[in-house]
Amino acid sequence: MTNRLRTQIEEEEAEQQKLIVEEKRDQEFPDNWFTQFFTKGFWNAESATRALPFLLFIAFLGMVYIANMHLAERNIRDINKISKEVKELSWDFKTTKAELAFKSTLTQVVKRSDTLGLGLKESLTPPQKLTDTEVKNEH
């Protein structure tokens, strides 16, 4: 009798342990809308596999967008650098033009010719104005 009673007690204990194990599994996954959405809802392994190409396409578009932004920023930096260079060259052109205009005046040409020994002299008589009738009379 004792053996039989012992086996019944062991069976009852095993059943209680199974119930405890089953209860723990229920506690690991609570029954809320989030778990129902992923377990019982439309999102399962098959739908995830079908959505994978679309997700890869979206990821590719994201990478293209980022690359485009980097390219645009680099172009803006190049444009700013070139515009600064153009301003500097414009200033150089204006200063060179002003120096040339100053050096081509009559007094500066005479001073430079004296230093070089060309023998040029400044005109003492003012220039005369010619009209069409005087030019036709001479011919």
Side-chain angles (χ1 to χ4, degrees):
M1 244 177 145
T2 57
N3 287 340
R4 188 168 148 206
L5 183 60
R6 229 183 233 174
T7 57
Q8 287 177 353
I9 293 173
E10 288 176 359
E11 289 175 1
E12 288 176 3
E13 287 178 0
E15 288 177 11
Q16 287 178 356
Q17 287 178 356
K18 288 180 184 178
L19 290 175
I20 292 172
V21 170
E22 289 177 3
E23 288 176 4
K24 287 182 181 178
R25 288 181 186 169
D26 288 341
Q27 290 175 356
E28 288 178 13
F29 297 108
D31 194 26
N32 59 18
W33 68 272
F34 188 73
T35 56
Q36 287 180 1
F37 177 74
F38 285 108
T39 57
K40 300 175 186 174
F42 66 93
W43 192 261
N44 54 22
E46 183 181 334
S47 61
T49 308
R50 278 189 277 134
L52 189 62
F54 179 71
L55 293 176
L56 291 175
F57 177 71
I58 295 296
F60 173 74
L61 286 181
M63 285 190 260
V64 168
Y65 178 74
I66 292 169
N68 189 26
M69 289 299 294
H70 286 293
L71 181 67
E73 288 176 2
R74 186 176 61 200
N75 285 341
I76 289 171
R77 276 189 251 116
D78 289 343
I79 288 170
N80 289 337
K81 186 173 106 178
I82 290 172
S83 66
K84 287 179 184 178
E85 188 177 332
V86 165
K87 283 182 182 178
E88 290 177 8
L89 290 174
S90 154
W91 296 334
D92 289 344
F93 168 73
K94 290 176 183 176
T95 55
T96 306
K97 186 178 176 183
E99 288 175 3
L100 179 64
F102 176 71
K103 288 180 180 179
S104 64
T105 59
L106 185 62
T107 56
Q108 292 297 319
V109 171
V110 169
K111 284 181 185 177
R112 291 181 84 204
S113 67
D114 287 341
T115 58
L116 294 175
L118 296 174
L120 295 177
K121 294 183 182 177
E122 191 173 348
S123 168
L124 298 176
T125 60
Q128 296 178 0
K129 187 176 183 179
L130 297 176
T131 59
D132 288 339
T133 57
E134 293 176 359
V135 175
K136 288 180 184 177
N137 290 340
E138 289 182 8
H139 290 290

